[in-house]
Amino acid sequence: MNLSEIETFLMIVKTKNITKTAENLFLSQPTVSHRLKSLEDELEVKLITRKKGYKQIELTAQGEEFIPIAERWVSIWQEMQRLKDSQEKLNLTVACTDTLNSAILFDLYRDMLDEEEMIMNLHIKTHYSYEVYGLLENHDIDLGFVYHHLHFKNIVAEPVLKEKMYLIQADETRLRKPVIHTDELDLGREIYVSWEANYQIWHDQWVSRGERPRIQVDTFELLFHLLSKEQMWAIAPVSVVERIRSLRPVYVSELGNQIQPPERITYKIKHKFPNEATLKAVQVFEDRLDGYLRQKGWDSAGQ
């Protein structure tokens, strides 16, 4: 008994027809009949009957009884394959905010994919910071990266990156200076992103002064596309600025405000009681991340 014979039998159960089974499995009819006979010979029972003059087949009583056995057989085989794969490769589930995945970790993911032999199966999720904490708390992910340091009993947060904020404008801007004060900008043309709580406080006090931004977005993609419109501008951390600049021409300046916006801090979060099966995968990813951030030259946040 082998997988191909079991799968052929289950397809016959589904189609009730040898010809359709052969078509669905891209086999010849003799091959389908041979597999079925081989299975019946090994089980020493008749699984189907064919009535003369009818194209459809009928299952015998033993055939009906064998259906759940065949389904369990396939399920066990799939579990065996997953077990084999887990021995050969590491498995890791990572969750991050949208801009973290799109701007900071994008190149790291791509570098890992470009390796001749990728040693890790990587599941990447995108969520808001508070959602990432919840996923980690429930062991639905193995590692998280967020902008907000929230206090969860079973979660450890470690700052891994601090980023300076810059002014980024559409390339067609008429205000082309290396240093620009936000008072010189048209607030109606701002694309506002609430990078984190401290930045939002700074922005409310020193930029919008209590006025509601005309447009606010929460994804990298929206920020990227809206910045293509003439005279639009945004304040963003260096990783986002560099990512956008690699994709289209933009004009970047330092902020001339006396009170500078707070640097954006990225936190790596892990569970205090991690799954033993993922410890090696987490360590491998953390090592790769450390080297990647050093290569990028962004400020580390060791505190």
Side-chain angles (χ1 to χ4, degrees), residues 59-115:
L59 292 171
T60 64
Q62 291 89 346
E64 293 283 358
E65 291 179 14
F66 186 64
I67 292 174
I69 298 173
E71 291 173 340
R72 287 201 304 271
W73 199 98
V74 172
S75 178
I76 291 171
W77 184 88
Q78 291 172 342
E79 289 181 15
M80 291 169 58
Q81 292 304 115
R82 285 194 291 269
L83 178 63
K84 179 183 175 183
D85 291 342
S86 68
Q87 291 175 333
E88 294 175 351
K89 283 192 176 183
L90 302 174
N91 297 288
L92 185 70
T93 302
V94 178
C96 310
T97 62
D98 174 78
T99 53
L100 260 168
N101 273 331
S102 300
I104 293 183
L105 296 179
F106 174 84
D107 285 332
L108 175 60
Y109 298 147
R110 186 171 57 183
D111 290 347
M112 294 177 72
L113 284 173
D114 287 342
E115 294 175 354

Side-chain angles (χ1 to χ4, degrees), residues 7 38 55 86 118 176 192 202 209 234-235 268 303:
E7 288 181 330
S38 176
K55 290 184 178 181
S86 68
M118 188 173 175
R176 305 179 78 88
Y192 174 70
W202 174 86
R209 294 181 173 85
I235 298 172
K268 174 177 65 181
Q303 293 182 348

Side-chain angles (χ1 to χ4, degrees), residues 151-164:
H151 295 284
F152 278 68
K153 179 180 177 181
N154 293 319
I155 292 179
V156 179
E158 175 190 349
V160 293
L161 182 65
K162 280 186 177 180
E163 298 181 78
K164 183 177 177 179

Side-chain angles (χ1 to χ4, degrees), residues 5 18 22 41 46 57 59 69-70 92 123 126 176 206 213 217 221 253 260 262 265 267 273 276-277 281 303:
E5 293 171 354
I18 297 295
D41 289 345
K46 198 74 174 170
I57 59 94
L59 292 171
I69 298 173
L92 185 70
H123 185 186
T126 301
R176 305 179 78 88
W206 300 103
V217 301
E221 185 174 8
S253 306
Q260 288 284 301
I265 302 176
Y267 296 91
F273 309 103
E276 293 289 332
Q303 293 182 348

Side-chain angles (χ1 to χ4, degrees), residues 31-53:
T31 299
V32 171
S33 298
H34 174 76
R35 287 183 178 180
L36 178 61
K37 184 177 184 309
S38 176
L39 182 60
E40 290 178 327
D41 289 345
E42 186 170 353
L43 294 173
E44 297 182 354
V45 296
K46 198 74 174 170
L47 297 173
I48 70 167
T49 59
R50 304 184 202 182
K51 290 185 178 180
K52 200 168 184 180

Side-chain angles (χ1 to χ4, degrees), residues 156-191:
V156 179
E158 175 190 349
V160 293
L161 182 65
K162 280 186 177 180
E163 298 181 78
K164 183 177 177 179
M165 308 295 282
Y166 288 87
L167 173 67
I168 182 169
Q169 301 181 78
D171 193 48
E172 299 81 5
T173 182
R174 293 187 291 272
L175 189 59
R176 305 179 78 88
K177 298 195 300 181
V179 180
I180 297 174
H181 195 289
T182 52
D183 287 348
E184 302 175 71
L185 298 162
D186 180 356
L187 290 182
R189 311 297 291 180
E190 180 188 16
I191 306 166

